[in-house]
Amino acid sequence: MKRDNIQLNDQGRLRHFLTIEGLSRALLTEILDTAESLTSVTEQSVKKVPLLRGRIVVNLFFEASTRTRTTFELAAKRLSADVLNIHIAGSATSKGETLLDMLANLEAMHCDMFVVRHDRSGAAHFIARHVAPHVSVINAGDGSHAHPTQAMLDMFTIRRLKGDFYPLTVAIVGDIMHSRVARSQIHALTTLGVNEVRVIGPRTLIPRDIESLGVHPYYDMKSGLQDVDVVIMLRLQNERMSGAMLPSESEYYSRYGLTEEKLSLAKPDAIVMHPGPINRGVEIASSVADGPRSVILQQVTHGIAVRMAVMSMALGNPPLRQEGTP
Amino acid sequence: MDKSANSSMDVEPLTKALVDKIQQRLAAKGIADPAMVGIHTGGAWIAEKLHQALALKTPLGKLDISFYRDDFTRAGINPQVKPSTLPMNIDDKHILLVDDVLYTGRTIRAAMNELFDYGRPASITLVVLIDRNGRELPIQPDIVGAHMDLAPHEHIKLQGPAPLRLIRSNTE
């Protein structure tokens, strides 16, 4: 099993972080625990630890992102790594250089880690299969496949605010079909052993075989939000869907938009999460997004510690070198 | 390693001796309100005892130096790492830095680096329960419970938290 999983090295430790799927509960818990320890760096007057001093982290973004790229950059800098930000639209790939040539060039510059965001599913896996043995790849979102660091910062937020996972009922609301965030969240929540995962949305936006992932589909908010501990709203991704999937934004809002009224169906202490960027008045009311139960901005802060944890774990588990001094 | 453990020692007399020596030193230097910082895990256990016995006003700080170790690229990150907690401003403070066993000196180097990322202390006094031979860095203790001369295959380790016992073992 270890052999098959490209994410783990021969000792079963994290080498690349591409998807939650196939990772153990112990490893996900290790990520959360390491992130917890790294939060104390924020309390230092010098907000840096020297773990990745002298390492080079490349943010390779083939698709626009502000929050994810910024928090990856900040995480790398807090670990004392040097960071290169490469926007592909403005790079040599537009001059006809292939992706693999470009990676080879970056490796020749002694880069240690690629943080990859791409609009094609499987892009980060493809890169991980082709990098040099000392290079780690972190998936910062690939097509509609996975966004594992987002899912882990959500798990971190849930654990901090709710404690144990096993008694919780978590509802993920919106466009499940196109959401890499939802897919990664579902794998993380089921691996960490929550009581129930629900997905709520219009039939056109919920994959028909979703139950095979161990979740319960609901097609209306009234039954879906009943007694829920955590509500995760997803962004309506207009850029990823063709017109027929959705009647109109206003109808979507009236049926699936999270208003105070709909939120009152959940448990009184339920928290509201959103991976951002939020579309106010499309999937969430401003009064909820800015309200006391919203933890959306805490998610952003937690993203830094979780990304620090993943980066230091992946780069701290180098391939076994020849047995030398202990 | 554990099965070859061949002797165990009570730490109570050593911590008592440390308390006396710390008091003498504080008096000699005219330091009224020092801050104590223990290094995870053994140093923090000893620091808890000393902090209580000395009735220090500033709350006890604890450092986990995992993120400052010099063997990260070889050993990776320790999954059991604890967050550091320094519930005081260490700027211009006189710090009593406490560890259980001083051996190579690398832990103390890392701890001082971490302390300076929190601020600029007025002074750091190094307090150790056991000072054993084998230093690899020019770091020496100021206050020592006991000195030990051990062969390279001999080890001394603090076991705790209750009761605290020093375990001496031989891996040869």
Side-chain angles (χ1 to χ4, degrees), chain A residues 37 44-46 48 51 55 316, chain B residues 67-68 72-73 76 81 117-118:
Chain A
S37 316
Q44 299 178 190
S45 57
V46 179
K48 263 184 194 295
L51 277 182
R55 305 295 193 93
Chain B
F67 299 137
Y68 288 79
F72 170 71
T73 51
V81 50
D117 282 348
Y118 281 86

